[in-house]
Amino acid sequence: MGFRTNAATTDLASILPEDLEATIKAAAEISMGTEISDADIAHIHQLCDQVISISAYRTQLSDYLRNRMTAIAPNLTALVGELVGARLISHAGSLLQLAKHPASTVQILGAEKALFRALKTKHDTPKYGLIYHASLVGQAPPKLKGKMARMVATKAALSVRVDALADADAKSETDAAAIGIQNKAKLESRLRALELEGDVGAARRFAEPGGSSARKTQKVSMSGDAARSYNPASDIVGGSADLVPTQRGPLETAMKAVLDVKEEKKRAKEEKRRKRAEKADDDSAMEVDEAPAKESKKKRRESEAASAAADIRALTSDVADIRVETEEERAERRRLKKEQKAAKKAIEAESDDKKSSKKRRASDVDGGEGVSKKKKKKHDDDSD
């Protein structure tokens, strides 16, 4: 259509009804806004062409992925879809590597970071990873998503192993995805059964005496004369009074048993009270008998304590005397030692003096003999 001025002359009957076309043309003539320039129109057309080309490329890429996944892993594609299957293979590295993983690993594949964080912090581990985007898991109720993810991972592991170990000729056959289709049908039926069990359980809980229906039941209260009066004739069943004696037999037996139990308890209490009184009397008699013995024991202890105190005082005085005598002896011993040392030093000094005087006399004698010898030798020389 271009500009809004062209709305009156543009034929929109191929895309709009007749009454709506007239309404749009009338609104275009009186609408507010500004005119679009040629440059803006060119940019808008270019963006529209890009959107259309991207949508076509996406459709082409989706067809290519579907064809490739059908040729490589037909059973996995039939079970979880080509997009989820391609993500699982890409995350594992290859189809053979994915086939080596157990079902528990396939279930949380793609949630490794959450798994290790849960193990480190000791919290609950994740229940699903990339397999959460499968259609079977998506259509399950929130309470059954974890159980459904586990079952889908189990069947996916089996399907992947069949695809990885099958040859190219077996994959190209028309019934190559038979295992995946059968597993998907089993999982769908299992999901319906689980949902039905949940609905039946909810209905059963609703119908239980403690359920919500019982909570919503209003309490019936009687008012008026009917609540205050009592009709004895309503106790008779079928207009016969023969049932009354047979029904009172168990009641009389029960009442008798209750009275017997009460009487037994009363007798036991009286017996305990009597024993307690007898024990108190025996204790008082023993106290009276033990009074003189306690007095004699007390006197004996006091005498023993007095004698022990006297012995301690005597021993203390003896120890003090011994201590004084020991100090005097120690002082005397020190004085004697000093005197002995002084005498010894005096004796040593006298012996030293004697030795020195002997040495002097010996040296004097030796000196006189030497002079006489020299004189005699000189005299002999002169005579010669």
Side-chain angles (χ1 to χ4, degrees):
M1 183 177 66
F3 297 105
R4 62 177 180 172
T5 55
N6 300 331
T9 58
T10 304
D11 186 13
L12 303 176
S14 59
I15 58 175
L16 295 175
E18 185 177 356
D19 53 350
L20 186 58
E21 180 184 2
T23 303
I24 289 176
K25 287 182 178 182
E29 292 178 356
I30 61 174
S31 66
M32 298 176 63
T34 182
E35 299 294 339
I36 300 176
S37 61
D38 296 338
D40 293 338
I41 286 291
H43 290 154
I44 291 171
H45 288 168
Q46 185 178 0
L47 291 175
C48 291
D49 293 339
Q50 290 180 2
V51 171
I52 293 170
S53 63
I54 291 173
S55 178
Y57 177 69
R58 180 180 180 180
T59 304
Q60 180 184 358
L61 191 60
S62 178
D63 294 339
Y64 169 76
L65 182 62
R66 185 182 300 107
N67 295 332
R68 291 297 298 167
M69 286 297 297
T70 304
I72 295 173
N75 294 289
L76 182 63
T77 303
L79 182 63
V80 298
E82 63 274 0
L83 186 58
V84 178
R87 287 178 177 176
L88 289 174
I89 293 173
S90 175
H91 196 84
S94 65
L95 183 64
L96 189 60
Q97 291 294 331
L98 182 61
K100 293 178 182 179
H101 291 318
S104 58
T105 305
V106 175
Q107 180 182 353
I108 60 172
L109 204 64
E112 289 84 1
K113 187 180 292 186
L115 173 64
F116 294 133
R117 183 172 62 249
L119 293 176
K120 185 178 180 180
T121 57
K122 296 183 180 180
H123 286 79
D124 295 336
T125 55
K127 295 181 179 179
Y128 29 67
L130 293 172
I131 207 168
Y132 178 80
H133 302 285
S135 59
L136 291 170
V137 181
Q139 66 188 3
K143 291 183 179 180
L144 298 176
K145 282 188 183 296
K147 185 179 292 186
M148 203 64 201
R150 184 172 63 252
M151 292 188 291
V152 171
T154 304
K155 299 300 182 182
L158 296 176
S159 301
V160 167
R161 289 164 189 172
V162 172
D163 295 333
L165 300 176
D167 53 0
D169 296 336
K171 293 180 183 179
S172 60
E173 295 178 357
T174 55
D175 59 346
I179 296 177
I181 295 172
Q182 292 175 3
N183 292 335
K184 187 175 182 180
K186 290 179 182 178
L187 291 176
E188 289 176 350
S189 62
R190 178 60 178 162
L191 178 60
R192 286 194 296 270
L194 291 174
E195 291 177 350
L196 183 61
E197 288 178 4
D199 296 339
V200 171
R204 192 174 299 164
R205 288 193 300 272
F206 184 80
E208 284 179 355
S212 57
S213 62
R215 289 194 296 271
K216 292 181 180 178
T217 304
Q218 296 181 356
K219 184 178 180 180
V220 178
S221 61
M222 299 178 64
S223 60
D225 297 336
R228 291 191 294 272
S229 63
Y230 175 70
N231 186 13
S234 61
D235 293 339
I236 301 175
V237 180
S240 177
D242 296 337
L243 295 176
V244 175
T246 58
Q247 291 179 354
R248 286 181 181 175
L251 180 60
E252 292 176 355
T253 305
M255 291 296 294
K256 187 177 180 181
V258 171
L259 292 175
D260 293 341
V261 171
K262 287 185 177 179
E263 188 67 24
E264 186 68 26
K265 288 183 178 179
K266 188 175 180 181
R267 285 197 299 269
K269 286 183 179 179
E270 291 178 356
E271 185 68 21
K272 287 182 180 179
R273 195 177 295 112
R274 185 178 58 79
K275 289 182 178 179
R276 196 179 298 114
E278 291 178 357
K279 187 176 181 181
D281 295 339
D282 295 340
D283 293 341
S284 62
M286 290 176 64
E287 288 178 358
V288 171
D289 295 338
E290 290 177 356
K294 287 183 179 179
E295 288 291 333
S296 62
K297 286 183 180 180
K298 187 176 181 181
K299 290 181 180 179
R300 192 184 309 115
R301 286 175 189 157
E302 290 178 355
S303 62
E304 290 177 357
S307 61
D311 294 339
I312 291 172
R313 285 195 295 271
L315 183 62
T316 306
S317 61
D318 294 340
V319 170
D321 296 339
I322 292 169
R323 187 181 299 109
V324 171
E325 291 177 0
T326 305
E327 290 179 356
E328 291 177 356
E329 291 178 355
R330 188 181 299 112
E332 185 66 22
R333 193 183 305 113
R334 289 177 182 173
R335 186 177 61 77
L336 292 174
K337 283 184 178 180
K338 289 182 180 179
E339 291 177 356
Q340 290 177 0
K341 287 182 179 180
K344 188 176 181 180
K345 287 182 179 180
I347 292 169
E348 290 178 354
E350 289 178 358
S351 62
D352 292 338
D353 293 339
K354 288 180 180 180
K355 288 179 180 179
S356 59
S357 60
K358 286 180 179 180
K359 287 181 180 180
R360 281 199 300 274
R361 285 196 296 269
S363 61
D364 293 341
V365 171
D366 293 338
E369 291 178 354
V371 172
S372 61
K373 286 180 179 179
K374 287 180 179 179
K375 289 180 179 180
K376 188 177 180 180
K377 188 178 181 180
K378 187 176 180 183
H379 180 67
D380 292 338
D381 293 337
D382 293 339
S383 63
D384 292 339

